[in-house]
Amino acid sequence: MSDTKLYPVPAEFAQNSLLNDSAYQAMYKHSINDPEAFWREQGQIVDWIKPYSQVKNTSFQPGSIDIKWFQDGKLNVSANCLDRHLKDNANKTAIIWEGDNPADSEKLTYQDVYEKVCQFSNALKAQGIKKGDVVCLYMPMIPEAAIAMLACTRIGAVHTIVFAGFSAGALAERINNCGAKLVITADEGVRAGRIIRLKDCVDKALAKPQVTSVNNVIVFARTKADIAWHEGRDLWWHDVVKDQPSECEPEAMNAEDPLFILYTSGSTGKPKGVLHTTGGYLVYATMTFKYVFDHQDSDVFWCTADVGWITGHSYLVYGPLANAATTVLFEGVPNYPDTARMSQVIDKHQVTTLYTAPTAIRALMAKGDDAIAGTKRTSLRLMGSVGEPINPEAWRWYYNTIGNSSTPIVDTWWQTETGGILITPLPGATALKPGSATRPFFGISPALVDNEGNLLEGENEGNLVILDSWPGQMRGIYGDESRFEEAYFSTFPNMYCTGDGAKRDADGYYWITGRVDDVLNVSGHRMGTAEIESALVSHSKIAEAAVVGVPHDIKGQGIYAYVTLNAGEKADDALEAEVKQWVRNEIGAIATPDTLHWTQALPKTRSGKIMRRILRKIATNDTDSLGDTSTLADPSVVDTLIAEKQNA
Ligand code: PRX
């Protein structure tokens, strides 16, 4: 909490915003004192086919975890994102697509998206996809990704998007876990001038003997490259939509029907299929988008996240479109073809609201004013940050340089599991402190507890928990009911355990300090140490591995892997390159270790548990206070590791 300088709400912003501070205070109080009444009213932010009479039916009690919202209501997500806007906004731009190549861009109106979604919905039905079936998307950042998502929701199919940077093996594991019947992909993706052979990767995933659920693959022709074709299984997107009508009756979905599954990392080796349902998720995504980004009709909103992550779901697609906003979908990266690309896109499309990640900000900050060369960015009125703690230095650079020292920043804390933003400033209401996510959103009761689960009062630091349910909360881990309670409600009974640590200052502001479990956050991408370890030990020459996170200037955290080789194997540069490539192939480029530390033995307790606390300290040269090493089976291992680190 080094920087306590307050950035008050700019007067002009306060005047024109949806909520000022006293409105926030009153609404927040009401949301906590009477959640039932609060959400009964707020649930009306979306249109219901059958109105709900029940609102909140939730329990965090051990043994009877149950989360249901608006449970007797019926609605359709695509109808809320499209149909209801056609009366007044048919010709408003829904999606601005900006290609990887600055010469490529396209605008789609609400009417355009509506027709394309209906056609694709009919195409899905024609392939036998029904309500409740799981459809896997492995897509580049093109409008068809959003169209496919919305089409799934229109017919009641459950989508699971796998980030198109994941390997064939990771894709296969996810398809298999959810039993997807159909995969939607593109021939190739294009990013930073490079080609990503997506269809090849799908072919490799589907060739694995354990993957048996997929009947068809629909392929969008993005680059029109030559690709392998499996007759009878593979279908071109343009062929399946060709003769389909541009009307399709939306399916009336129960509020608690599954909407999507999104895999994320936990502290075990297997990714978790986070399940979100229809009504609560949509209400929460719609409402948080409206208030956190202070949505105005003329806004152009740009969220730089990929659709493969939760931020892409809630604030690239569902939140903006449910609010009839104009959303920018960008295929490329912030620094290609040159360092000022992000700023150029802001000027080109007159972006008013930019939502990006600290890792991107730090990468641009390292380039100084080149990141804004030749641009004005005067269209901006609000900026956001998400995915990891933003260091005050990066916050100030973002504010001063990208935002011309006049654009408020909302530092939004949330998770795949939470569906939408939980702790955040509201731009017309909250004075900002660089590095703080500030205060809870409506209906959210955060608290800090010590390691025994005792509530900590006032200015304090501890484990961040949430004391009561909110509509956007995940409903379960797909296919593994028991793991839900164990993963989120067993550490501290009667509370949702976030896995993050936080501080609370004298003003009641929260400062997220990062994960307290074995989850890493590398460039805002969440990864379990156990996943990387299991990829490492699947290499034939590796006996054992332990992975820890270390601070990294740009990525936030880097991956530091301790590796022991099988007897007779020798560590050298060639093996290092081979092992790094191995991990890329097993999981994806985002999991590539920054450092491999070859060693003979890892520090273990007598019961065989690896002492990561010590490994973390050695990796960061913090060896003066290693703490208690008396429980180690062989304390000399520690000295060897320290010496190896120093000589590296
Ligand atoms: O550690 C927190 C960090 O990202 C984790 C959630 O990752 P994921 O499920 O991939 O969702 C990322 C996008 C919502 C959290 O447990 N995190 C996210 N936002 C922030 C953050 N840490 C600090 N400040 C944030 N604003």
Side-chain angles (χ1 to χ4, degrees):
M1 285 179 247
S2 50
D3 189 337
T4 47
K5 180 186 163 199
L6 271 184
Y7 289 70
V9 178
E12 201 193 314
F13 206 103
Q15 256 165 32
N16 300 319
S17 68
L18 295 176
L19 292 176
N20 61 18
D21 193 41
S22 57
Y24 162 76
Q25 302 279 0
M27 233 167 120
Y28 180 71
K29 218 183 208 166
H30 177 44
S31 74
I32 298 300
N33 292 346
D34 193 350
E36 180 82 20
F38 179 83
W39 289 111
R40 182 174 297 281
E41 196 185 326
Q42 297 300 330
Q44 297 303 316
I45 197 165
V46 304
D47 286 357
W48 295 82
I49 296 169
K50 173 178 178 279
Y52 49 86
S53 68
Q54 304 182 45
V55 177
K56 182 175 188 285
N57 192 351
T58 66
S59 161
F60 285 3
Q61 262 188 19
S64 54
I65 306 295
D66 195 21
I67 297 156
K68 293 196 175 71
W69 286 88
F70 313 110
Q71 77 191 81
D72 59 347
K74 285 185 194 285
L75 75 167
N76 182 278
V77 168
S78 82
N80 270 288
C81 290
L82 302 169
D83 309 30
R84 67 168 174 161
H85 307 318
L86 294 183
K87 192 166 143 281
D88 298 324
N89 284 307
N91 296 321
K92 181 174 177 178
T93 302
I95 298 175
I96 300 177
W97 179 70
E98 170 75 10
D100 186 59
N101 180 336
D104 294 339
S105 61
E106 190 187 345
K107 289 184 178 171
L108 289 99
T109 64
Y110 272 92
Q111 182 73 35
D112 296 335
V113 179
Y114 168 81
E115 288 174 12
K116 285 175 188 286
V117 166
C118 286
Q119 281 188 315
F120 196 65
S121 302
N122 289 322
L124 289 175
K125 283 192 193 172
Q127 300 315 315
I129 300 299
K130 306 179 303 295
K131 177 174 172 175
D133 287 344
V134 180
V135 172
C136 174
L137 275 63
Y138 189 70
M139 295 285 275
M141 287 285 284
I142 54 176
E144 285 68 22
I147 290 164
M149 291 164 80
L150 289 161
C152 287
T153 73
R154 194 161 190 92
I155 66 168
V158 180
H159 62 66
T160 185
I161 310 188
V162 177
F163 172 60
F166 275 119
S167 67
L171 175 61
E173 184 181 7
R174 286 157 176 76
I175 290 175
N176 211 27
N177 184 273
C178 65
K181 287 198 171 156
L182 175 79
V183 177
I184 305 171
T185 189
D187 46 4
E188 296 179 328
V190 190
R191 243 176 134 242
R194 285 195 303 272
I195 291 293
I196 305 153
R197 311 243 334 140
L198 299 176
K199 171 63 164 51
D200 270 5
C201 200
V202 171
D203 288 345
K204 284 195 191 110
L206 298 189
K208 298 197 187 276
Q210 76 270 26
V211 182
T212 55
S213 59
V214 175
N215 300 323
N216 293 108
V217 178
I218 296 182
V219 187
F220 183 81
R222 166 67 186 91
T223 62
K224 306 187 173 60
D226 241 354
I227 52 170
W229 201 253
H230 293 239
E231 254 347 298
R233 185 196 75 184
D234 297 348
L235 304 157
W236 284 111
W237 178 296
H238 53 258
D239 285 338
V240 297
V241 296
K242 203 168 46 205
D243 298 319
Q244 295 297 347
S246 46
E247 294 288 331
C248 173
E249 189 63 27
E251 190 77 33
M253 301 299 288
N254 190 277
E256 285 300 337
D257 280 338
L259 177 62
F260 65 81
I261 301 162
L262 184 56
Y263 287 89
T264 191
S265 298
S267 40
T268 68
K270 273 182 94 57
K272 299 184 274 205
V274 170
L275 176 69
H276 283 287
T277 58
T278 306
Y281 171 83
L282 190 68
V283 166
Y284 200 72
T286 308
M287 188 177 165
T288 46
F289 177 83
K290 175 175 167 180
Y291 289 113
V292 175
F293 300 110
D294 188 54
H295 178 60
Q296 316 274 336
D297 189 42
S298 54
D299 279 345
V300 175
F301 179 81
W302 180 20
C303 165
T304 65
D306 192 280
V307 285
W309 310 118
I310 190 69
T311 309
H313 286 59
S314 301
Y315 301 112
L316 179 70
V317 179
Y318 294 123
L321 297 181
N323 279 283
T326 297
T327 185
V328 177
L329 201 153
F330 177 42
E331 186 178 35
V333 300
N335 56 357
Y336 174 88
D338 59 69
T339 313
R341 181 72 189 279
M342 191 164 90
S343 299
Q344 291 156 3
V345 174
I346 293 168
D347 281 4
K348 176 174 176 183
H349 297 298
Q350 291 293 289
V351 170
T352 61
T353 317
L354 172 69
Y355 191 33
T356 192
T359 186
I361 297 164
R362 287 191 297 262
L364 294 176
M365 180 170 77
K367 305 287 179 192
D369 283 352
D370 284 355
I372 53 166
T375 67
K376 293 200 171 73
R377 304 159 324 286
T378 42
S379 55
L380 285 176
R381 64 178 199 92
L382 180 61
M383 304 189 296
S385 171
V386 60
E388 53 176 312
I390 180 164
N391 45 314
E393 193 193 355
W395 194 102
R396 279 190 294 267
W397 184 84
Y398 192 27
Y399 183 84
N400 291 325
T401 307
I402 300 289
N404 293 314
S405 307
S406 60
T407 315
I409 297 174
V410 286
D411 175 3
T412 63
W413 173 83
W414 59 296
Q415 312 177 300
T416 306
E417 292 89 337
T418 70
I421 294 163
L422 298 198
I423 301 184
T424 178
L426 296 186
T430 315
L432 307 171
K433 295 182 193 179
S436 173
T438 77
R439 306 187 293 193
F441 190 74
F442 306 121
I444 305 303
S445 35
L448 300 178
V449 296
D450 64 17
N451 288 341
E452 281 67 54
N454 302 306
L455 283 172
L456 302 170
E457 302 295 331
E459 209 178 334
N460 230 318
E461 177 168 8
N463 301 291
L464 179 65
V465 294
I466 312 291
L467 300 178
D468 199 1
S469 183
W470 64 98
Q473 184 169 25
M474 74 184 282
R475 301 301 198 259
I477 296 177
Y478 191 78
D480 197 349
E481 275 301 300
S482 60
R483 203 170 152 205
F484 182 46
E485 174 158 359
E486 203 212 291
Y488 301 103
F489 300 96
S490 67
T491 323
F492 307 117
N494 298 306
M495 305 169 188
Y496 167 76
C497 173
T498 67
D500 277 311
K503 298 177 189 177
R504 189 174 45 223
D505 70 15
D507 294 326
Y509 277 28
Y510 285 86
W511 302 68
I512 312 298
T513 52
R515 301 289 304 195
V516 292
D517 53 10
D518 291 325
V519 171
L520 304 181
N521 194 327
V522 180
S523 300
H525 299 145
R526 206 171 134 171
M527 238 165 318
T529 52
E531 277 171 82
I532 307 170
E533 287 163 4
S534 78
L536 284 165
V537 297
S538 69
H539 187 283
S540 62
K541 294 183 181 165
I542 295 177
E544 217 174 14
V547 167
V548 297
V550 290
H552 186 287
D553 282 350
I554 306 284
K555 299 198 271 188
Q557 268 188 317
I559 301 173
Y560 191 106
Y562 294 87
V563 178
T564 65
L565 293 173
N566 288 323
E569 301 296 349
K570 208 177 137 320
D572 56 22
D573 289 352
L575 185 61
E576 173 162 345
E578 181 185 319
V579 167
K580 286 185 175 175
Q581 187 59 40
W582 176 265
V583 176
R584 286 174 84 98
N585 291 345
E586 286 292 297
I587 305 177
I590 54 175
T592 316
D594 296 277
T595 308
L596 292 183
H597 179 146
W598 308 109
T599 188
Q600 297 294 326
L602 297 171
K604 290 187 189 159
T605 61
R606 282 182 211 107
S607 59
K609 203 168 171 291
I610 294 174
M611 287 187 83
R612 285 165 193 287
R613 178 175 56 80
I614 291 177
L615 290 177
R616 250 178 245 127
K617 292 201 165 187
I618 295 172
T620 51
N621 298 317
D622 176 19
T623 47
D624 290 343
S625 57
L626 282 180
D628 183 14
T629 53
S630 64
T631 55
L632 285 176
D634 176 6
S636 75
V637 167
V638 171
D639 298 327
T640 310
L641 286 166
I642 293 173
E644 285 165 351
K645 177 76 181 28
Q646 277 161 359
N647 297 331

